[in-house]
């Protein structure tokens, strides 16, 4: 008898039915009204890691998400790598649900601070002080035809740190 369990594959299989060693990151962006948005993602990976003039990450997200909208509008984000402390992970789960940024941000557990990239840039979001690593990034719409993502069901961003 096997020690493994047979699990039924369901929607969001990578979150519910399959286990990949992926970090949980909180992507901070700026909303249309200038306020902060944070969305949680696990589908964020290194893309260009060597042999290029830049480093790049790839982010996959729903094209209806606040994060996607904000990246399309302003082209800036911060990838905040958070620890696995229970209180921070619970907050990441809460930020992962769709909904208005205003409602989610009212009870933000994280301490937000200006990043180092360009604090004067109003399109550059604040970063999470409790993060153990932060990449302040700009969307590189010219890479790999990323400028065509508006027509797809999911959004894939190549973001350069």
């Amino acid at each position: 008898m096997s020690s493994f369990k047979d699990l039924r594959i369901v929607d969001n299989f990578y979150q519910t039915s399959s286990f990949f060693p992926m970090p949980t990151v909180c992507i901070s962006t700026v909303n249309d009204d200038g306020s902060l948005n944070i969305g949680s993602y696990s589908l964020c990976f290194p893309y260009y890691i060597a042999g290029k003039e830049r480093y790049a990450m790839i982010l996959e997200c729903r094209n209806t998400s606040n994060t996607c909208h904000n990246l399309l509008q302003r082209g800036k984000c911060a990838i905040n790598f958070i620890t696995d402390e229970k209180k921070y992970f619970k907050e990441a789960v809460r930020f992962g649900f769709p909904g208005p940024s205003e409602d989610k941000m009212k009870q933000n557990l994280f301490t937000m601070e200006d990043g180092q990239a360009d604090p004067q840039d109003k399109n550059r979001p604040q970063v999470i002080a409790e993060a153990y690593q932060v990449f302040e990034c700009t969307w590189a719409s010219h890479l790999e035809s990323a400028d065509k993502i508006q027509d797809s069901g999911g959004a894939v961003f190549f973001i350069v740190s």
Side-chain angles (χ1 to χ4, degrees):
M1 177 179 230
S2 176
S3 62
F4 290 96
K5 292 186 178 204
D6 187 22
L7 295 177
R8 181 175 59 89
I9 300 298
V10 297
D11 289 345
N12 290 334
F13 77 94
Y14 59 89
Q15 295 173 333
T16 59
S17 304
S18 188
F19 306 97
F20 292 96
M22 297 186 288
T24 299
V25 296
C26 291
I27 308 286
S28 53
T29 57
V30 175
N31 292 315
D32 292 339
D33 65 1
S35 64
L36 182 69
N37 176 71
I38 298 176
S40 297
Y41 293 88
S42 287
L43 297 174
C44 186
F45 309 98
Y47 188 67
Y48 288 163
I49 57 172
K52 302 284 185 182
E53 67 275 5
R54 68 183 69 83
Y55 297 102
M57 299 288 287
I58 187 168
L59 169 66
E60 185 171 337
C61 59
R62 289 182 336 276
N63 66 351
T64 58
S65 70
N66 296 325
T67 301
C68 178
H69 173 80
N70 293 341
L71 275 167
L72 286 171
Q73 294 302 307
R74 282 163 284 293
K76 307 280 174 76
C77 73
I79 305 173
N80 301 273
F81 290 81
I82 61 170
T83 67
D84 62 354
E85 289 181 59
K86 187 175 183 177
K87 66 181 180 178
Y88 297 144
F89 196 69
K90 285 177 76 173
E91 187 72 338
V93 169
R94 190 174 72 78
F95 282 141
F97 285 99
S101 294
E102 182 180 340
D103 295 343
K104 292 193 286 184
M105 297 308 297
K106 282 181 188 173
Q107 299 172 7
N108 182 8
L109 174 71
F110 295 116
T111 306
M112 305 308 297
E113 64 182 38
D114 290 338
Q116 296 180 0
D118 185 0
Q120 303 306 316
D121 183 353
K122 298 296 183 202
N123 291 320
R124 180 100 25 217
Q126 288 189 308
V127 302
I128 296 174
E130 293 84 1
Y132 64 87
Q133 176 173 272
V134 177
F135 295 162
E136 294 184 83
C137 301
T138 301
W139 176 38
S141 62
H142 62 282
L143 295 179
E144 314 289 340
S145 300
D147 58 335
K148 300 192 181 358
I149 66 162
Q150 290 137 320
D151 299 328
S152 65
V156 177
F157 290 96
F158 300 95
I159 43 186
V160 179
S161 54

